[in-house]
Amino acid sequence: MKKILILLLAAALLCFGFSALAENNVLQFDRNVNRVFEGETLQTVLIREGAPAGGELSYTSANEKVATVDENGVVTGVSKGQTNITATVTAEGKTYRNQLNLFVDRKAAEVQVQTAKLPLYPADDPLVAPLLQAGGEDLPVLLVSVKKQINLQVTVLPQDASNRKFVLKSDNDSVLKVQGNGLTGLVPGEAVLTVASASNPEVSVRYRVLVIQPVTRLTVEASGQAVTVGGQVTVKASVMPENASIPQVIWSSGDERILTVDAQGVVTGLKRGNGRLVATAADGSNIRANFSLKVVQNPEAITLGSEEMTVDVGRNQVTKYTVAPVDADNKRVIWSSSDESIAKVGKDGRITGVAPGECVVTCRAEALESVSAELKVHVQQPVKSVAFTEKSAAAYAGETTQLSWITEPANATNPGVTFQSSNPKVAVVDENGVVTGVSRGNASITATTVDGSRRKAQIQVRVGEHVTGVQMVREHAYIDLNETATAGATIYPKDATNKNMTWVSSDESVVTANGKTNSKMKLKGVGYGEATVTGTTEDGGFQTSLRVTVGDFDRSLTFRSFDYDKDGNFWLSVRNDSAFTITRIVASLEVFDGREGVAVNTKDGSNKVDIVWSGALQPGETTGTRHWKMVNYSAPSQGIKKTSGTITLYQFQIDNDWIKTIRERHRTKKDY
């Protein structure tokens, strides 16, 4: 009855309102009906009274990429955003309009829960399956301990959804309490947790939550306090309280290099050391217990540094040995010699040569005599000195030279030597002392005795590289009268020993050339004309030449005018007054605001940039507006027209080869 009265009252008010409005011309949207989701439709509400009530009605959208509207005012959301919907009525010779500020919202499409650190199990996992109620949904099972809180990390996607809020709901508040993003177990039992989008509840993820009585304490005991390498013992864990929902534990080793443990608590020793076992409650309560266990290792093998050893008469050497494995508890050994008249051995394995001959030295494990190793010992008369007969040697790349040497005394047991080069990229040496030059440079050849006496001798070998050819860096040089310039040639190979060259001009009345090597040959323009400069290598007599033209190249270009666009991009009108093809022109632009420089260079922040033209400008031709480029340029914020500056033509290139920098006194400058 109360609802009927309310409806009647609302209808009366509407009638009163419409009758009041009818006295006026009204065209107005209901602004409370102004939101729609992407891909969905919304019927707008338009109030029309007076003349607009009978006129011709049309609708338009200000941005159809956000929303469209049909002839009936039905809006379709296209993309998240905001736009205006305009209603237009033409009646009695007048046009009436009204706008609706429309919002298009993006729905939440997915709810994600960060589960990496959560105690989450499949419903059929043997750990939780016996505790679940029969007939429950096949959902992931989340463990929550009684009186413990878990905070969930929830993300609503996409990132640009209009409403990214979420809500958590438990279907059994007596078992699981939900507050914000936190879950608190109240009593052992089961509940279904729903994590849903606040704006689109149908977008959700669900879990079966198993509230358990957690483990509060763990103790561990083992069948023994030690285990041998390769042996096994069993450990057992006891949990408290006795009514813990999940009494199982997860076993792990503190260092699996020492020992391992399987799921049943069977421990296997791997290597000598003090191991640590960790029992962790499987219910996610993070209750742990540690248990220490020693792993014992016996020697298994002895390895000597070598199978044979050569010792000088009256000298001694220590034999290196290794007891395996490295973690054996007792690695002490006992040494013995088969013939002490030839060689003796001490407790530390030091072998002393007594007389020339051979014997066998044995190393046995103190803990296990069956573990041993043998060393054959040769006692010899050592070499006392070795020397080369020459102070130094020389060779060219690809050529050889024979070294000669002497060892003393003459009755040495083994007078042989080995050879080694300090730099095989320069010179190599074979077992007979024959040195082969590889490339230019210096190398030391070392002769070392092979009898272990460590006697050495060195000789320096110098390797040279012959010149095989020469070529000018450029084919053509352009020089102003009385101007100097440098030119150079490349000698092949680049690391040739002798890079001396002589330079001759075909006409010294045009150009002179001075230089003693392949680099930085100095040219000077003496008279107008053309000449050839020829260079000859001292090694091999190889020749190369450079054509040199002497002229007035500073005056090759005429800077006629310039212009620029609204963005401050300049172009120059420059005429080629030379007899050559100009392939590059460079001018400098300096920009000022009053007396202060304006930062227009994006690279160094200065007020100076280059204006570069590239192309092929034939003699007599003039550049146009094309092919000009501003280098590292950013237009000034106040606009180029509000600044002043100078344009200076200072460099050009002939035939993509010779770069000419105009001398300061001949540079053309123009102010803008």
Side-chain angles (χ1 to χ4, degrees):
M1 186 64 182
K2 184 183 291 185
K3 291 183 179 178
I4 294 174
L5 290 174
I6 292 173
L7 290 172
L8 291 173
L9 179 60
L13 289 173
L14 285 172
C15 291
F16 176 79
F18 285 145
S19 114
L21 291 171
E23 299 175 1
N24 300 314
N25 294 324
V26 176
L27 180 68
Q28 182 175 338
F29 280 103
D30 183 345
R31 305 194 185 281
N32 293 320
V33 184
N34 68 337
R35 304 195 79 93
V36 65
F37 282 117
E38 291 175 323
E40 296 186 2
T41 60
L42 173 72
Q43 174 64 64
T44 57
V45 178
L46 184 67
I47 301 172
R48 299 171 61 186
E49 295 183 2
E56 182 179 349
L57 172 64
S58 64
Y59 293 90
T60 59
S61 169
N63 189 349
E64 292 194 345
K65 292 183 179 180
V66 175
T68 61
V69 61
D70 66 11
E71 67 276 7
N72 299 314
V74 177
V75 174
T76 301
V78 177
S79 179
K80 178 185 175 184
Q82 181 179 347
T83 187
N84 289 324
I85 301 299
T86 302
T88 304
V89 173
T90 302
E92 298 179 1
K94 292 184 179 181
T95 300
Y96 300 88
R97 289 187 179 87
N98 192 253
Q99 287 188 338
L100 174 67
N101 192 11
L102 180 76
F103 297 90
V104 178
D105 293 332
R106 181 160 293 167
K107 282 187 175 183
E110 182 182 359
V111 174
Q112 290 184 349
V113 178
Q114 298 295 326
T115 60
K117 297 183 179 180
L118 295 178
L120 202 63
Y121 299 87
D124 59 354
D125 190 293
L127 191 69
V128 299
L131 303 176
L132 295 174
Q133 298 174 3
E137 295 183 65
D138 186 15
L139 298 173
V141 179
L142 176 63
L143 297 185
V144 177
S145 296
V146 172
K147 298 182 180 179
K148 297 290 185 179
Q149 179 172 307
I150 293 179
N151 292 318
L152 300 184
Q153 295 183 8
V154 182
T155 303
V156 177
L157 298 176
Q159 295 286 348
D160 58 353
S162 299
N163 185 348
R164 297 187 64 211
K165 294 182 179 181
F166 59 89
V167 292
L168 275 63
K169 183 178 180 181
S170 168
D171 73 342
N172 192 342
D173 293 336
S174 63
V175 172
L176 179 67
K177 177 183 177 182
V178 174
Q179 186 172 7
N181 66 332
L183 310 176
T184 303
L186 301 179
V187 296
E190 189 176 333
V192 174
L193 172 69
T194 302
V195 184
S197 163
S199 61
N200 307 102
E202 69 277 5
V203 178
S204 64
V205 291
R206 302 172 70 233
Y207 301 95
R208 291 178 73 174
V209 177
L210 186 62
V211 179
I212 61 171
Q213 176 63 49
V215 173
T216 59
R217 183 181 176 188
L218 276 174
T219 58
V220 179
E221 59 182 13
S223 58
Q225 292 299 312
V227 62
T228 60
V229 173
Q232 293 182 331
V233 296
T234 302
V235 290
K236 182 180 179 182
S238 300
V239 302
M240 293 183 65
E242 293 182 356
N243 66 338
S245 300
I246 301 177
Q248 292 90 336
V249 299
I250 300 171
W251 293 101
S252 61
S253 170
D255 188 345
E256 292 194 345
R257 296 172 301 174
I258 295 176
L259 54 78
T260 59
V261 59
D262 65 15
Q264 287 70 44
V266 178
V267 180
T268 302
L270 299 181
K271 74 172 186 176
R272 175 180 176 270
N274 293 316
R276 179 171 60 88
L277 298 172
V278 180
T280 304
D283 63 1
S285 61
N286 290 323
I287 301 299
R288 296 184 178 184
N290 295 325
F291 187 78
S292 297
L293 198 62
K294 185 176 182 180
V295 180
V296 179
Q297 175 66 62
N298 286 327
E300 295 178 356
I302 295 176
T303 303
L304 299 179
S306 61
E307 295 181 356
E308 295 188 39
M309 174 183 287
T310 299
V311 183
D312 296 339
V313 173
R315 305 293 294 270
N316 60 71
Q317 293 186 47
V318 175
T319 305
K320 293 183 179 180
Y321 69 95
T322 302
V323 177
V326 294
D327 57 353
D329 284 81
N330 183 355
K331 292 192 282 187
R332 291 187 294 271
V333 296
I334 300 172
W335 295 91
S336 62
S337 171
S338 65
D339 191 344
E340 292 192 349
S341 66
I342 295 176
K344 294 181 179 180
V345 60
K347 294 180 179 180
D348 59 352
R350 187 178 298 275
I351 299 172
T352 302
V354 177
E358 295 181 354
C359 65
V360 175
V361 169
T362 303
C363 178
R364 300 181 185 278
E366 180 184 82
L368 198 60
E369 288 190 0
S370 60
V371 177
S372 64
E374 292 184 346
L375 172 69
K376 190 174 184 179
V377 178
H378 305 272
V379 180
Q380 69 170 4
Q381 176 61 53
V383 175
K384 292 185 178 180
S385 68
V386 60
F388 287 102
T389 58
E390 302 291 337
K391 291 184 178 180
S392 63
Y396 272 97
E399 300 176 4
T400 63
T401 185
Q402 174 68 60
L403 303 178
S404 61
W405 64 97
I406 297 174
T407 57
E408 294 183 347
N411 66 340
T413 303
N414 185 356
V417 295
T418 60
F419 299 94
Q420 185 176 12
S421 170
S422 64
N423 192 348
K425 293 182 179 180
V426 173
V428 294
V429 59
D430 67 12
E431 68 275 8
N432 300 312
V434 177
V435 176
T436 301
V438 177
S439 63
R440 179 179 176 273
N442 296 312
S444 295
I445 303 299
T446 302
T448 305
T449 57
V450 297
D451 64 356
S453 61
R454 298 183 181 178
R455 304 300 179 185
K456 295 183 179 182
Q458 279 189 343
I459 186 171
Q460 294 294 319
V461 177
R462 185 174 181 225
V463 178
E465 187 78 27
H466 286 304
V467 174
T468 60
V470 64
Q471 183 179 355
M472 294 301 303
V473 175
R474 288 191 175 92
E475 296 180 356
H476 198 166
Y478 304 84
I479 307 174
D480 280 294
L481 185 66
N482 297 322
E483 181 186 13
T484 60
T486 59
T490 301
I491 284 181
Y492 300 101
K494 292 185 179 180
D495 56 354
T497 303
N498 185 351
K499 295 188 177 182
N500 292 336
M501 293 184 69
T502 57
W503 297 92
V504 178
S505 171
S506 65
D507 188 347
E508 292 195 346
S509 67
V510 175
V511 64
T512 60
N514 293 291
K516 295 182 179 180
T517 66
N518 65 311
S519 63
K520 295 186 178 179
M521 179 265 291
K522 187 175 181 180
L523 301 170
K524 183 176 181 179
V526 178
Y528 292 117
E530 189 169 290
T532 299
V533 173
T534 302
T536 305
T537 64
E538 188 175 274
D539 180 12
F542 296 95
Q543 289 189 335
T544 186
S545 61
L546 172 69
R547 191 171 59 148
V548 181
T549 301
V550 179
D552 190 4
F553 296 103
D554 274 355
R555 306 183 191 281
S556 295
L557 300 177
T558 298
F559 184 4
R560 304 178 69 181
S561 63
F562 68 89
D563 202 351
Y564 56 86
D565 60 21
K566 61 182 179 64
D567 296 322
N569 295 306
F570 282 75
W571 54 86
L572 283 59
S573 176
V574 180
R575 186 179 64 208
N576 181 2
D577 291 333
S578 74
F580 308 98
T581 301
I582 305 299
T583 55
R584 192 169 186 265
I585 302 172
V586 184
S588 173
L589 170 67
E590 289 185 274
V591 182
F592 295 90
D593 184 0
R595 295 184 178 180
E596 298 294 327
V598 178
V600 294
N601 192 311
T602 60
K603 186 174 182 180
D604 58 19
S606 70
N607 71 323
K608 188 174 181 180
V609 295
D610 280 343
I611 311 173
V612 180
W613 179 90
S614 298
L617 192 65
Q618 303 300 326
E621 290 185 348
T622 302
T623 62
T625 59
R626 299 177 60 193
H627 306 302
W628 289 99
K629 181 180 179 181
M630 308 285 285
V631 181
N632 299 323
Y633 175 73
S634 175
S637 60
Q638 65 269 49
I640 196 69
K641 290 186 177 181
K642 295 186 179 180
T643 64
S644 62
T646 302
I647 302 172
T648 304
L649 193 66
Y650 74 91
Q651 191 180 85
F652 61 91
Q653 187 173 15
I654 300 174
D655 293 332
N656 288 320
D657 185 23
W658 191 269
I659 297 175
K660 168 63 181 173
T661 300
I662 302 172
R663 286 175 286 188
E664 184 71 31
R665 65 179 180 273
H666 291 155
R667 295 179 183 176
T668 305
K669 299 183 178 181
K670 292 185 182 293
D671 297 328
Y672 75 86

